Amino acid sequence: MTYITRATAAAGALLASVGLLAAGPAQAAPRPMLTGNWLALTVTRGDARTGYTRHALLLCDPPLGHAHAAEACAELSAADGDIDRIPPKKIFCTMIFAPVTVHARGRWHGRSVDFRETYSSKCVMSGRTGEVFALDD
């Protein structure tokens, strides 16, 4: 047996004796599951590839996630979690084109929610989605 073979065998025996060799693959820590009504929200201004993006996790049991969480959860409750069913606000927006893309995904009363829409401005977005995507304030 050569010196290298003996050294390799000795190193293997040492690692096995301390349990490092037989440890097996690393396991990811279990992630806690979100329960209740929740939405992961993003708001991207401008071009989606280069625009500024804000993120928030809106929890509704109790309302948490951004400054207007209580109002957002109330609007979502009235619309049964369907953002398209939130009644539009009667507001006047300027005709300045400054696109905003919003995305919401999550769970509402056990159903999956996946909503994505691009609006011509933040004002138009606010008028259509209420407080749900009010992440900048």
Side-chain angles (χ1 to χ4, degrees), residues 97-109:
F97 184 70
V100 178
T101 299
V102 297
H103 185 214
R105 64 171 186 73
R107 306 286 292 168
W108 195 268
H109 293 298

Side-chain angles (χ1 to χ4, degrees), residues 1-76:
M1 203 180 246
T2 67
Y3 175 75
I4 295 175
T5 306
R6 285 187 202 145
T8 305
L14 178 63
L15 290 174
S17 71
V18 295
L20 295 176
L21 202 64
Q27 298 293 320
R31 291 178 28 190
M33 295 297 295
L34 290 173
T35 59
N37 299 323
W38 63 274
L39 294 175
L41 307 169
T42 61
V43 177
T44 304
R45 287 190 240 155
D47 187 324
R49 292 168 287 160
T50 60
Y52 172 75
T53 300
R54 297 268 307 179
H55 303 272
L57 178 61
L58 176 64
L59 305 172
C60 288
D61 300 317
L64 300 168
H66 61 73
H68 306 280
E71 297 89 345
C73 291
E75 291 170 346
L76 286 164

Side-chain angles (χ1 to χ4, degrees), residues 41-46 52-55 66 68 72 75 83-94 96-104 115-137:
L41 307 169
T42 61
V43 177
T44 304
R45 287 190 240 155
Y52 172 75
T53 300
R54 297 268 307 179
H55 303 272
H66 61 73
H68 306 280
E75 291 170 346
I83 296 170
D84 277 327
R85 290 182 43 204
I86 293 174
K89 293 180 186 177
K90 295 181 181 183
I91 58 174
F92 293 98
C93 298
T94 62
I96 297 173
F97 184 70
V100 178
T101 299
V102 297
H103 185 214
F115 176 85
R116 182 183 306 267
E117 189 67 49
T118 299
Y119 299 97
S120 59
S121 69
K122 182 179 173 187
C123 179
V124 173
M125 174 205 71
S126 296
R128 282 296 301 127
T129 64
E131 301 299 320
V132 175
F133 295 101
L135 306 182
D136 291 334
D137 300 329

